């Protein structure tokens, strides 16, 4: 592996990166009703950011999931749900909107991977926006990366 690849891998698997994904979990799990009962309970436990035992358990689970994705060529899994969007009176049909959801573990793992693209850490471990995230224009229609670590996206 090249030096740059080793550096990216080290950052990806770092506890600091994974904790950042856990720290902001409340901001990006938007369809809680699509989580199964166990994931809802785990999400509730993650509200306590100072529960070291639970956080360490999650960091290990996420590192294992990252290893599966990177080294063993596994995939993130998603389920599709259809939510009624509107009623089309002309055709007498209900129009549905597809919603995609993953397990809590896969969603947090995906954000840990996303963090590598959107954040940089300086020598003092302070968080800053990466050059890549600064390329997104201010009038972008969609989710913009937030500057606060507790929120992943700006509303």
């Amino acid at each position: 592996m090249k030096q740059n690849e080793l550096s990216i891998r080290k950052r990806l698997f770092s506890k600091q990166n994974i904790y950042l994904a856990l720290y902001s979990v409340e901001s990006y799990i938007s369809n809680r009703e699509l989580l199964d009962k166990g994931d809802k309970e785990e999400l509730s436990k993650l509200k306590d950011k100072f529960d070291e035992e639970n956080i360490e358990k999650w960091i290990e689970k996420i590192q294992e999931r990252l290893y599966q994705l990177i080294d063993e060529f596994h995939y993130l899994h998603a389920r599709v749900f259809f939510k009624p969007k509107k009623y089309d009176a002309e055709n007498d049909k209900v129009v549905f909107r597809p919603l995609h959801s993953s397990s809590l573990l896969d969603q947090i793992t995906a954000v840990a991977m996303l963090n590598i693209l959107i954040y940089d850490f300086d020598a003092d471990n302070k968080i800053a926006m990466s050059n890549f995230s600064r390329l997104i224009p201010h009038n972008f229609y969609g989710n913009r990366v937030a500057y606060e670590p507790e929120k992943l996206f700006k509303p």
Side-chain angles (χ1 to χ4, degrees):
M1 271 190 210
K2 297 178 186 173
Q3 183 62 29
N4 192 29
E5 289 175 14
L6 288 173
S7 174
I8 291 171
R9 183 181 175 89
K10 185 177 177 183
R11 281 183 51 212
L12 176 63
F13 283 86
S14 73
K15 288 183 175 186
Q16 179 184 27
N17 175 51
I18 295 171
Y19 182 75
L20 181 60
L22 289 167
Y23 188 75
S24 62
V25 71
E26 288 292 315
S27 72
Y28 59 83
I29 304 293
S30 57
N31 294 311
R32 287 168 170 72
E33 67 276 6
L34 300 181
L35 294 174
D36 64 27
K37 184 179 179 185
D39 280 351
K40 287 178 189 174
E41 291 170 1
E42 290 296 323
L43 180 61
S44 180
K45 290 178 189 175
L46 284 172
K47 287 182 181 180
D48 184 358
K49 306 298 185 218
F50 301 104
D51 182 353
E52 290 182 43
E53 190 175 309
N54 189 41
I55 297 295
E56 278 296 323
K57 178 186 82 167
W58 270 96
I59 288 174
E60 288 175 15
K61 284 177 21 177
I62 294 164
Q63 285 174 330
E64 176 60 32
R65 189 70 176 119
L66 286 168
Y67 175 77
Q68 291 172 349
L69 294 169
I70 304 299
D71 294 337
E72 296 177 3
F73 305 105
H74 287 217
Y75 298 97
L76 294 170
H77 301 282
R79 298 172 297 194
V80 180
F81 298 90
F82 294 94
K83 180 179 180 178
K85 183 177 179 181
K86 65 181 178 178
Y87 176 72
D88 182 4
E90 186 177 308
N91 295 321
D92 193 33
K93 287 186 177 181
V94 176
V95 178
F96 291 92
R97 176 178 164 231
L99 294 175
H100 298 78
S101 182
S102 295
S103 68
L104 183 61
L105 176 61
D106 276 1
Q107 289 187 56
I108 297 170
T109 303
V111 170
M113 296 169 77
L114 177 66
N115 285 346
I116 298 303
L117 295 174
I118 60 175
Y119 296 120
D120 283 332
F121 297 97
D122 64 13
D124 298 326
N125 283 328
K126 291 185 181 176
I127 193 170
M129 303 309 286
S130 71
N131 291 335
F132 180 75
S133 62
R134 285 190 289 245
L135 289 173
I136 301 170
H138 74 283
N139 60 351
F140 176 71
Y141 182 78
N143 292 327
R144 294 254 337 198
V145 178
Y147 288 94
E148 303 90 27
E150 63 274 359
K151 296 178 186 162
L152 182 59
F153 300 112
K154 292 179 186 178

